Amino acid sequence: MGKEINDEDLMLRYKAGDASAFEALYQRHKGGLYRYILRNCKNEGIAEELYQDVWMNLIKARERYEVKAKFTTWLYQMAHNRLIDYYRRQQARPNTNSIDTDEGVDETLARRQDQPEHKTEILASTEQLLRLIDILPEDQKQAFLLREEAGLSVEEIAEVSGVKPQTAKSRLRYAVNKLREGLKGYEPG
Amino acid sequence: MSQDKHDQEFEEYLQGDSALSTRYQQSSSEQAPPGHLDDAILAASRREVKAKPGYVSSPFSSNWQMPLSLAAVLVLSVTVIVTLQYDHDDIHLTKPTVEQPSPQLQQSVYNTQIDRADNDAQTEKLRESEMEVISEMAVESDFTEETSFSPAPAAMKREKNLAGKQTDAVSEEKIISASRQRLEVMSDMPTAPRVFEKSFAGASRGLAESVQKDQVNNPTIKAMRAKTKMKSQVEEFAKKRNLNAKSDMIGTVSNDSIATSKSLKESSMDASLAVATDAVMGNADATEWLRQIKQQWQRGEEQSALSQLRLFREENPNYSEDQLLEVLAPELVEMSKTEH
């Protein structure tokens, strides 16, 4: 089995005119990017629109592409910027301020877990996990999704988000702790 | 205790082997973009490639642009500076210089002038008196500005005319060169400035004319007689003004004759005499000049009288033919008119 071509080389090949290179890149990243956008905007229709915009922007930026950073970082940075634009236009971005405390989420989770009908709704831990992600603060959610969907390191998450690595790490830490706490009642077995 | 546990779990999560990550991957794997979106995006990517087949990165793009630009600016600046410096050096190197004569030529000219001086003591006396006259004229003049050391235009004009027709005399060019060399030797100025060299040229032409005149009938001496007369007048004027300036004042006058005398004094007596003679001749009394011409004509010195008359007519264009006929023979006037 041959060595897999990395993202940067594929993008350079696409820049040179190889359309198949783009298809390979697309197949690698389409699921993660789509979910990253969907989890953030929470609307399939809008997610599809934003998702298509991000890929179209990448296609247009083909001629300017230079290998200055990891391709994934570049791709998700475009997606992050597109989401920011969307939030600004909608003026509906919830929890835009970074919440580095557990207080807000904990209260929300406690309320939901205290509701009997809510407990009965959640049949599987995976569904619970997705719900927990939905109610995470945006910054923490972004950090977690960038880690899980794009596979970015703390430093790369910081680069995409435009913050210091310590801040990105803190956000990720809070997100992980909250999700773990929220899943305690749904541990398998 | 709880904090430590959380930190440990978070480190495990960052290592990538946590239950949370596994569970998230399981929950999200089924969610993917719709097929029509995939098709639209892939079609767009192919259209883009067809529209713009490919971009090959230039070896000088981005990373190389800045250092390459700086290097180009540096090279251009150095080139300009070096070029300007080179041109500046060229300007200094092209300063005017005076050619050095050959020793043989210097000796030849020197011997010639010595012989002439010995053979004509009277001429020497007249020369001295001529210099004094010129000095007195400088005193008389009220000009105080420094003058250029060029011969009188009138004298130069006459010298030019004579030089063109003296084909049977010693070569004018030889005399000019010889005069220049001798003047430099006698004045201890081996590298005289060009402005001084101009006066040498005029003086040399005067010397050529002087030699030619000596061969005919030495009209210079005759001219000196008229100048001597002028000298006495100048002396009287100077005494009245109680001035006792002679050669020291020469450099402060500005008319052509005095300027010529200054250059002559700084060069040689022989050459200066010729130029000074011409200069004074140009300013001499026209009537006296005509009388001399008449005397030459009467003595049978036709050529000399004719050349003098031509000069006279050039110097005094306001003199009508009738005025000339009052003094000179009609034949001479007619000859000067027809041959001119």
Side-chain angles (χ1 to χ4, degrees), chain A residues 14-17 19 22-23 26 30 34-35 38-39 48 51-52 55-56 59 62-63 125-126 129-130 133 144-145 147-149 154 169 172-173 176-177 179-181 183 187-188, chain B residues 3 6-7 9-11 13-16 18 20-21 23-29 31-34 36-38 40-42 44-49 52-55 57 61-62:
Chain A
Y14 176 57
K15 178 183 179 181
F22 178 83
E23 290 185 25
Y26 183 78
K30 68 174 188 178
Y34 178 74
R35 289 188 290 273
L38 181 63
R39 301 267 188 270
E48 289 178 7
Y51 173 80
Q52 189 172 7
W55 282 110
M56 297 306 280
I59 290 169
R62 148 183 176 252
E63 60 191 63
S125 60
T126 53
L129 176 60
L130 295 179
I133 292 171
F144 180 78
L145 291 176
R147 173 70 185 179
E148 293 299 327
E149 296 292 352
V154 172
K169 188 174 184 179
L172 186 60
R173 183 197 301 273
V176 169
N177 289 341
L179 294 176
R180 281 199 176 121
E181 290 294 323
L183 288 172
E187 290 293 332
Chain B
Q3 184 65 30
H6 283 168
D7 289 344
E9 288 177 349
F10 182 64
E11 290 301 322
Y13 172 78
L14 291 179
Q15 297 294 325
S18 70
L20 181 62
S21 291
R23 187 171 299 171
Y24 178 78
Q25 297 298 331
Q26 290 174 352
S27 69
S28 62
S29 60
Q31 286 183 301
H36 72 274
L37 213 54
D38 294 343
I41 292 168
L42 291 174
S45 73
R46 285 189 286 269
R47 280 198 305 273
E48 178 70 14
V49 169
K52 301 172 183 176
Y55 297 91
S57 297
S61 63
S62 64

Side-chain angles (χ1 to χ4, degrees), chain B residues 19 190 218 266 269 303:
Chain B
N218 201 355
E266 292 180 355
M269 291 301 293
Q303 289 300 321

Side-chain angles (χ1 to χ4, degrees), chain B residues 5-260:
Chain B
K5 185 184 176 183
H6 283 168
D7 289 344
Q8 185 179 355
E9 288 177 349
F10 182 64
E11 290 301 322
E12 289 175 359
Y13 172 78
L14 291 179
Q15 297 294 325
D17 53 353
S18 70
L20 181 62
S21 291
T22 306
R23 187 171 299 171
Y24 178 78
Q25 297 298 331
Q26 290 174 352
S27 69
S28 62
S29 60
E30 295 177 358
Q31 286 183 301
H36 72 274
L37 213 54
D38 294 343
D39 296 339
I41 292 168
L42 291 174
S45 73
R46 285 189 286 269
R47 280 198 305 273
E48 178 70 14
V49 169
K50 283 183 181 178
K52 301 172 183 176
Y55 297 91
V56 178
S57 297
S58 168
F60 299 110
S61 63
S62 64
N63 294 340
W64 286 95
Q65 285 176 354
M66 181 62 74
L68 191 66
S69 302
L70 289 175
V73 168
L74 187 65
V75 168
L76 188 63
S77 303
V78 169
T79 303
V80 169
I81 290 170
V82 169
T83 304
L84 289 177
Q85 185 66 36
Y86 182 77
D87 292 344
H88 191 254
D89 291 343
D90 273 357
I91 291 171
H92 285 301
L93 288 172
T94 55
K95 280 183 177 176
T97 56
V98 177
E99 294 179 1
Q100 293 297 323
S102 66
Q104 295 83 356
L105 191 57
Q106 290 183 20
Q107 186 62 40
S108 169
V109 173
Y110 184 73
N111 293 336
T112 303
Q113 301 302 329
I114 293 290
D115 293 341
R116 291 189 63 243
D118 291 340
N119 293 335
D120 200 344
Q122 187 180 3
T123 304
E124 195 63 31
K125 278 187 176 180
L126 289 171
R127 288 169 183 164
E128 290 176 4
S129 61
E130 168 66 16
M131 290 305 298
E132 289 178 2
V133 169
I134 293 168
S135 301
E136 295 295 344
M137 291 173 70
V139 172
E140 182 179 345
S141 172
D142 289 332
F143 293 109
T144 56
E145 293 184 359
E146 196 69 28
T147 62
S148 62
F149 300 145
S150 59
M156 289 293 291
K157 191 186 291 181
R158 278 185 280 127
E159 291 157 10
K160 190 175 179 182
N161 291 336
L162 280 175
K165 298 180 180 178
Q166 290 169 353
T167 55
D168 56 342
V170 180
S171 169
E172 183 192 38
E173 287 301 320
K174 272 190 175 179
I175 294 172
I176 291 171
S177 300
S179 173
R180 182 184 297 117
Q181 304 315 325
R182 181 173 175 275
L183 294 175
E184 289 180 1
V185 169
M186 295 180 69
S187 60
D188 288 328
M189 295 177 66
T191 56
R194 283 194 181 279
V195 63
F196 196 39
E197 192 174 306
K198 286 183 178 180
S199 68
F200 289 172
S204 301
R205 291 192 188 91
L207 178 60
E209 183 185 354
S210 175
V211 171
Q212 178 68 13
K213 286 174 180 176
D214 286 344
Q215 289 180 350
V216 178
N217 196 24
N218 201 355
T220 303
I221 296 173
K222 295 177 180 178
M224 287 302 103
R225 292 174 184 149
K227 309 308 171 296
T228 306
K229 186 178 179 180
M230 291 178 62
K231 176 194 169 189
S232 61
Q233 297 173 352
V234 172
E235 283 175 347
E236 286 180 11
F237 182 78
K239 286 176 182 176
K240 287 179 181 178
R241 297 182 64 174
N242 197 22
L243 295 174
N244 189 23
K246 289 192 175 182
S247 59
D248 292 342
M249 295 296 293
I250 290 174
T252 63
V253 300
S254 65
N255 64 49
D256 292 337
S257 298
I258 303 307
T260 305

